[in-house]
């Protein structure tokens, strides 16, 4: 081991951070060495992104020490950390879409004289840098929005390099890239490492970690559980380190007898996203759907609610074939959708709890177009009580509620509709643990009442804990289906990253 | 600290009272100021004049804009709807048609403006601002083309004048017909916006369009209805306007646009929930109308009136904000 000779660029020790009752980080450590590529892996919610946000100065830790370039740092801000040479390539592109490549690369560090910006110089310098580091040539003045996702990533990295980055943190940089682009990105990162830059690489793809990283730090439950050399440690062992096995009580058990198929999907396809998708969800069944970003799992769910129109295939609810072209029709046909982006699509923050809950079912509480407040209030009060939504009163704005309670309002909206099929897209993201358990209980109850539930989630523990069956989508196809004892997070993780497949059960 | 707690809570409740009634207090102050400055201001004859000439027509246009702004949109073409209704109404009467045909034709013209807006916004996905701005330009040119470069049409005597008088100069139980029309429309729009399923959908689209769409609401259809209703209400104002002045003057409808938008936003700002509401809009219209009339009576000329209105609107809003902040 050459650890002793390596120079430490960033050292974070004993970092703890709580959000209300939730422990996001508990005594977590992270050490980033110059001239090496460090992988950072862990389940969703393990604390990866929290510790990175602490380093980025976005989140203030409750306790812990951060040393950057041998200097103890007492307070970090996003601006000061960049001055220290630590740069972040975040998962969602953070570039101004209408800027030119030159403007994007030198944003905040414009080249020019006094208040005058020399656009030509910036375009030229940016072009030089892109060519030198990536061998990439773009027409001068190209706009960011006209670039591919991979090119945008490259521009972001170039921006960091232009500012003499000594530490580069990349959060899921390959999620939206194709193989060839991934390879050239890896070449760039290796070259940067050889130039002495410290690289942190966050990824869900185990093969990428194995191929690229010199060391990998595994996080679980808000702390680092170990740092190993991925070339000498089998992937299975790393996965085992990632998965906590003591969460049984989080997932309430249930016993149901499954009924007839309620949702039947066959041969569904959408160009560029997925093809040949077929599965059933029976009454009382909770079926999980998972896949990495870009696998097509998300698009399948969007097609089922009419948000995207499938190019072909059949969707039946209780034997009746649906034409899913808009959410209007999907709702009419008894499909309820809990969208991932709660604030944009799930609940209207500026409306009251009452107005949100009754929104999809107003016709039930109205006569000749007029809302009957009495009937509405009665139904809403019933649901507030039933789901134990913590709100001062039914007319409080949803904005005032916690994330978990907002999500319960979004679910209550569909309960008052009496839908037959519930499609849930990442229902427990940004929801605290207590509310998670309540949402799981709610899913169980809905299933118990004969609803068919399709749960799209990237939280593998959640899928294993809640679902009767989990379908894994890999590169636009149903790669595997797991149920019973074969359904565990190791297998799901392996299947969604393409390491293993298990096609025998897909047709179930 | 604990000693002064009682004292504080008393202060808070006084402030709370001020905040709650800040709008009414501001109104009262303005009315008193004008009453002192001009002896004619508080006379029944003047107040009646303000109501019929300054409030009714503006309020009806503002009601339509309240619906549109509630839905998260805007309609810059309300003036065109006013003018089109007015133009067709007057032209039909000039051609010898009866009042009923004239009114129907006028409202039909406004309806066409509304449908055009709806198509541009919901079918072609043009933003409401740009779509209605385009319709505003087209509508203005259309009027000039139809009236040989903007010649007014006066029908001050004879058959047509009788039809106008039947609308503008009649009264029921001593209430002038235009005021009755306003009362009916205020109640109707209030019920529609704050009590009906449609109104709830409008509010949801305004609060978060994505949520409305994901809740299975037929957003394009409801949004079309919003724009058609707004244009029709503006059309009613067009009919009342022509009947009052017994003429059609091209491009006169635009005078309502900014006042109506202003009244709606004043109402929004003053309301506790910061949402457009029929009551809030009415308060906004009253404020603008009273200030205009008051400044006129005090003897300010037209140009200074505009300055005065601007300053007074700022003062009322600032006072309301200040009191509200003090209450927290």
């Amino acid at each position: 081991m050459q650890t002793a000779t390596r120079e430490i660029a960033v050292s974070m020790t004993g970092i703890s951070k709580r959000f209300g009752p939730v422990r996001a980080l508990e005594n977590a450590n992270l050490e980033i060495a110059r001239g090496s590529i460090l992988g950072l892996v862990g389940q969703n919610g393990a604390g990866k992104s929290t510790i990175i946000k602490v380093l980025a100065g976005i989140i203030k830790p409750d306790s812990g020490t951060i040393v950057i370039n041998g200097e103890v740092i007492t307070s970090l801000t996003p601006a000061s950390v960049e001055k220290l040479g630590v740069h972040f390539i975040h998962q969602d592109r953070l570039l101004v879409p209408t800027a030119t490549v030159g403007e994007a690369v030198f944003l905040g560090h414009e080249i020019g004289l006094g208040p005058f910006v020399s656009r030509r110089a910036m375009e030229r310098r940016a072009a030089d840098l892109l060519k030198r580091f990536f061998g990439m040539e773009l027409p001068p003045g190209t706009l960011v929005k006209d670039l591919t996702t991979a090119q945008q990533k490259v521009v972001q990295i170039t921006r960091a390099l232009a500012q003499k980055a000594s530490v580069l943190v990349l959060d899921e940089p390959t999620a939206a890239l194709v193989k060839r682009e991934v390879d050239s990105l890896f070449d760039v990162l290796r070259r940067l490492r050889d130039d002495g830059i410290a690289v942190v690489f966050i990824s869900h793809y185990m093969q990428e970690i194995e191929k690229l990283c010199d060391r990998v730090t595994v996080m679980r439950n808000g702390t680092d559980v170990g740092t190993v050399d991925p070339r000498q440690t089998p992937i299975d062992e790393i996965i085992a380190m990632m998965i906590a096995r003591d969460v049984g009580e989080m997932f309430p058990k249930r016993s149901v007898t499954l009924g007839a198929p309620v949702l039947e999907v066959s041969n569904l396809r959408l160009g560029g996203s997925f093809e040949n998708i077929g599965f059933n969800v029976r009454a009382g069944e909770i079926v999980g759907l998972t896949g990495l970003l870009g696998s097509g799992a998300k698009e399948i769910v969007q097609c089922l609610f009419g948000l995207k129109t499938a190019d072909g295939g059949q969707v039946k609810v209780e034997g009746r074939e649906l034409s899913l072209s808009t959410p209007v029709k999907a709702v009419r046909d008894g499909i309820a959708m809990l969208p991932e982006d709660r604030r944009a699509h799930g609940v209207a923050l500026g409306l009251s709890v009452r107005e949100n809950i009754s929104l999809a079912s107003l016709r039930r509480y109205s006569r000749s177009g007029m809302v009957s407040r009495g009937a509405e209030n009665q139904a809403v009060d019933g649901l507030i009580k039933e789901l134990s939504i913590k709100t001062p009163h039914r007319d409080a704005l949803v904005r005032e509620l916690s994330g978990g309670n907002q999500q319960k309002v979004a679910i209550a909206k569909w309960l008052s509709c009496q839908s037959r099929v519930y499609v849930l897209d990442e229902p427990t993201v940004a929801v605290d643990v207590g509310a998670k358990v309540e949402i799981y209980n709610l899913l169980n109850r809905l299933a118990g009442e004969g609803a068919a539930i399709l749960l799209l989630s990237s939280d593998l523990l959640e899928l294993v804990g809640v679902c009767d069956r989990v379908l894994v989508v890999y590169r636009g196809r149903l790669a595997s289906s797991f149920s019973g004892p074969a359904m565990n997070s190791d297998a799901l993780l392996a299947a969604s990253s393409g390491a293993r497949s298990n096609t025998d059960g897909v047709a179930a | 600290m604990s000693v002064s707690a009682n004292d504080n809570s008393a202060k808070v409740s006084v402030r709370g009272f001020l905040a709650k009634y800040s709008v009414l207090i501001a109104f009262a102050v303005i009315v008193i100021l004008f009453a002192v400055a001009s002896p004619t201001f508080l006379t029944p004859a003047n107040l009646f004049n303000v109501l019929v000439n300054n409030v009714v027509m503006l309020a009806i246009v503002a009601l339509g804009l309240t619906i549109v702004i509630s839905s998260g949109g805007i309609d810059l073409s309300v003036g065109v709807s006013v003018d089109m209704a007015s133009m067709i109404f007057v032209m039909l009467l000039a051609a010898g048609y009866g009042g009923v045909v004239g009114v129907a034709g006028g409202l039909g013209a406004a309806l066409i403006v509304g449908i055009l807006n709806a198509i541009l916004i919901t079918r072609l996905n043009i933003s409401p601002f740009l779509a209605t701005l385009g319709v505003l330009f087209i509508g203005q040119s259309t009027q000039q083309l139809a009236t040989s470069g903007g010649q007014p049409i006066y029908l001050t005597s004879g058959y047509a004048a009788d039809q106008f008088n039947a609308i503008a100069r009649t009264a029921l139980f001593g209430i002038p017909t235009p005021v009755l029309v306003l009362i009916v429309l205020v109640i109707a729009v209030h019920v529609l916006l704050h009590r009906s399923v449609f109104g709830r959908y409008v509010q949801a689209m305004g609060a978060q369009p994505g949520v409305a769409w994901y809740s299975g609401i037929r957003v394009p259809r409801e949004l079309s209805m919003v724009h058609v209703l707004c244009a029709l209400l503006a059309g009613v104002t067009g009919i009342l306007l022509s009947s009052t002045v017994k003429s059609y003057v091209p491009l006169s409808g635009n005078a309502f646009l900014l006042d109506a938008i202003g009244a709606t936003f004043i109402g929004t700002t003053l309301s506790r929930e910061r949402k457009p509401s029929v009551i809030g809009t009415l308060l906004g219209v009253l404020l603008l109308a009273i200030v205009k009339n008051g400044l006129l009576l005090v003897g300010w000329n037209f140009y200074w009136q505009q300055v005065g209105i601007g300053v007074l609107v700022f003062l009322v809003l600032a006072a309301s904000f200040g009191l509200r902040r003090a209450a927290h």
Side-chain angles (χ1 to χ4, degrees), chain B residues 207-231:
Chain B
Q208 189 52 270
V211 172
W213 183 236
Y214 273 68
S215 298
I217 293 170
R218 286 172 293 191
V219 172
R221 203 184 88 157
E222 309 295 347
L223 217 48
S224 299
M225 188 53 86
V226 163
H227 283 276
V228 164
L229 282 175
C230 178

Side-chain angles (χ1 to χ4, degrees), chain A residues 360-489:
Chain A
S361 53
L362 268 182
R363 298 274 167 209
R364 282 172 186 277
Y365 318 120
S366 62
R367 194 180 290 169
S368 51
M370 293 297 138
V371 180
S372 150
R373 271 297 182 82
E376 186 192 13
N377 286 345
Q378 203 182 343
V380 167
D381 285 347
L383 284 164
I384 289 175
K385 208 169 148 203
E386 207 178 319
L387 305 194
S388 52
I389 298 171
K390 288 182 201 74
T391 173
H393 47 90
R394 66 170 101 89
D395 286 317
L397 294 186
V398 168
R399 181 177 290 123
E400 294 161 14
L401 272 52
S402 72
N405 283 296
Q406 290 180 2
Q407 193 68 307
K408 285 198 242 169
V409 169
I411 298 175
K413 176 166 80 182
W414 297 117
L415 291 183
S416 68
C417 246
Q418 297 174 358
S419 311
R420 298 293 300 134
V421 177
Y422 288 79
V423 178
L424 303 107
D425 184 357
E426 305 283 357
T428 59
V429 163
V431 158
D432 69 62
V433 180
K436 269 189 192 180
V437 176
E438 288 184 64
I439 289 172
Y440 298 147
N441 274 317
L442 194 58
L443 294 187
N444 284 342
R445 216 197 65 203
L446 285 174
E449 289 165 7
I453 297 179
L454 183 67
L455 171 65
L456 174 71
S457 177
S458 50
D459 184 339
L460 303 180
L461 290 174
E462 169 175 299
L463 290 169
V464 171
V466 176
C467 298
D468 300 308
R469 193 151 56 89
V470 177
L471 310 171
V472 180
V473 184
Y474 180 71
R475 295 194 192 268
R477 288 168 182 277
L478 278 189
S480 331
S481 166
F482 297 93
S483 57
M487 180 172 75
N488 58 62
S489 10

Side-chain angles (χ1 to χ4, degrees), chain B residues 144-231:
Chain B
Q144 282 163 327
L145 291 171
T147 57
S148 14
Q151 296 298 314
I153 303 170
Y154 295 104
L155 299 174
T156 45
S157 58
Y159 169 75
D162 294 341
Q163 303 296 315
F164 288 143
N165 285 338
I167 293 171
R169 300 260 184 270
T170 50
L172 195 64
F173 311 120
I175 307 171
T177 307
V179 177
L180 272 179
V181 170
L182 175 65
I183 292 171
V184 169
L185 290 178
V186 163
I187 294 170
V189 174
H190 179 83
V191 168
L192 192 65
L193 201 54
H194 302 293
R195 295 274 178 272
S196 78
V197 173
F198 169 74
R200 203 62 82 68
Y201 290 167
V202 170
Q203 312 264 1
M205 292 187 295
Q208 189 52 270
V211 172
W213 183 236
Y214 273 68
S215 298
I217 293 170
R218 286 172 293 191
V219 172
R221 203 184 88 157
E222 309 295 347
L223 217 48
S224 299
M225 188 53 86
V226 163
H227 283 276
V228 164
L229 282 175
C230 178

Side-chain angles (χ1 to χ4, degrees), chain A residues 43-59:
Chain A
Q43 289 267 291
N44 285 340
K48 282 176 309 190
S49 55
T50 312
I51 198 163
I52 291 307
K53 280 183 184 152
V54 168
L55 181 59
I58 297 167
I59 291 176

Side-chain angles (χ1 to χ4, degrees), chain A residues 162-220:
Chain A
Q163 289 160 50
K164 310 260 181 297
S166 62
V167 178
L168 196 58
V169 181
L170 301 105
D171 189 1
E172 299 265 1
T174 60
L177 304 190
V178 301
K179 174 92 172 53
R180 189 174 47 80
E181 295 168 334
V182 171
D183 288 342
S184 70
L185 177 68
F186 282 8
D187 285 342
V188 170
L189 294 180
R190 288 196 191 100
R191 198 133 32 93
L192 295 176
R193 170 191 62 192
D194 297 342
D195 289 346
I197 289 178
V199 178
V200 179
F201 183 80
I202 303 170
S203 178
H204 278 302
Y205 292 84
M206 282 301 141
Q207 293 105 319
E208 292 183 357
I209 298 281
E210 188 180 29
K211 210 165 136 192
L212 180 70
C213 298
D214 303 308
R215 291 181 312 143
V216 57
T217 294
V218 182
M219 295 204 64
R220 186 177 76 210

Side-chain angles (χ1 to χ4, degrees), chain A residues 77-395:
Chain A
T77 65
S80 74
V81 76
E82 274 205 359
K83 283 214 181 73
L84 292 164
V86 184
H87 285 261
F88 298 84
I89 314 297
H90 291 287
Q91 191 171 357
D92 6 288
R93 62 201 161 103
L94 293 172
L95 292 170
V96 184
T98 53
T100 66
V101 168
E103 286 168 339
V105 166
F106 293 102
L107 182 69
H109 303 266
E110 283 77 6
I111 306 172
L113 196 67
F116 302 103
V117 172
S118 167
R119 197 152 153 182
R120 264 234 309 262
M122 294 201 300
E123 298 301 334
R124 207 169 47 225
R125 280 282 307 280
D128 284 351
L129 289 168
L130 280 170
K131 186 137 189 268
R132 199 171 95 216
F133 288 115
F134 302 96
M136 189 163 123
E137 285 184 62
L138 296 170
T142 307
L143 297 184
V144 166
K145 64 176 177 180
D146 296 329
L147 300 178
T148 66
T149 317
Q151 289 172 323
Q152 292 190 0
K153 208 109 261 177
V154 165
V155 169
Q156 276 182 300
I157 296 175
T158 309
R159 174 168 187 268
L161 297 177
Q163 289 160 50
K164 310 260 181 297
S166 62
V167 178
L168 196 58
V169 181
L170 301 105
D171 189 1
E172 299 265 1
T174 60
L177 304 190
V178 301
K179 174 92 172 53
R180 189 174 47 80
E181 295 168 334
V182 171
D183 288 342
S184 70
L185 177 68
F186 282 8
D187 285 342
V188 170
L189 294 180
R190 288 196 191 100
R191 198 133 32 93
L192 295 176
R193 170 191 62 192
D194 297 342
D195 289 346
I197 289 178
V199 178
V200 179
F201 183 80
I202 303 170
S203 178
H204 278 302
Y205 292 84
M206 282 301 141
Q207 293 105 319
E208 292 183 357
I209 298 281
E210 188 180 29
K211 210 165 136 192
L212 180 70
C213 298
D214 303 308
R215 291 181 312 143
V216 57
T217 294
V218 182
M219 295 204 64
R220 186 177 76 210
N221 289 345
T223 191
D224 56 312
V225 290
T227 299
V228 296
D229 182 340
R231 295 192 185 98
Q232 282 159 22
T233 316
I235 290 184
D236 282 351
E237 212 167 290
I238 297 177
I239 289 176
M241 289 170 73
M242 287 164 58
I243 293 166
R245 296 176 191 281
D246 53 352
V247 286
E249 70 280 9
M250 238 191 107
F251 302 106
K253 283 293 155 230
R254 70 205 180 96
S255 58
V256 285
T257 41
L258 302 184
V262 176
L263 175 70
E264 295 168 86
V265 177
S266 55
N267 232 339
L268 201 65
R269 70 186 153 80
L270 176 66
S273 292
F274 58 81
E275 56 185 13
N276 194 24
I277 300 294
F279 61 90
N280 294 341
V281 185
R282 298 163 66 179
E285 193 178 25
I286 304 180
V287 172
L289 190 66
T290 192
L292 296 173
L293 197 65
S295 64
K298 179 130 209 147
E299 287 77 9
I300 294 174
V301 162
Q302 287 173 329
C303 282
L304 289 180
F305 195 61
L307 294 163
K308 286 193 171 156
T309 308
D311 295 331
Q314 231 186 13
V315 178
K316 286 185 185 171
V317 168
E318 295 185 319
R320 209 162 55 83
E321 190 173 345
L322 312 183
S323 78
L324 291 170
S325 50
T326 63
V328 178
K329 288 192 180 145
V331 172
R332 293 265 155 96
D333 290 327
I335 299 182
M337 166 82 166
L338 202 65
E340 178 180 15
D341 190 342
R342 189 169 58 227
R343 284 151 177 267
H345 307 132
V347 286
L349 298 179
L351 294 184
S352 67
V353 171
R354 170 177 56 83
E355 288 164 320
N356 269 287
I357 290 181
S358 61
L359 191 56
S361 53
L362 268 182
R363 298 274 167 209
R364 282 172 186 277
Y365 318 120
S366 62
R367 194 180 290 169
S368 51
M370 293 297 138
V371 180
S372 150
R373 271 297 182 82
E376 186 192 13
N377 286 345
Q378 203 182 343
V380 167
D381 285 347
L383 284 164
I384 289 175
K385 208 169 148 203
E386 207 178 319
L387 305 194
S388 52
I389 298 171
K390 288 182 201 74
T391 173
H393 47 90
R394 66 170 101 89
D395 286 317

Side-chain angles (χ1 to χ4, degrees), chain B residues 270-284:
Chain B
L270 295 180
S271 84
R272 213 173 318 157
E273 295 144 331
R274 301 288 169 86
K275 283 181 197 161
S277 69
V278 170
I279 304 297
T281 299
L282 273 185
L283 284 175

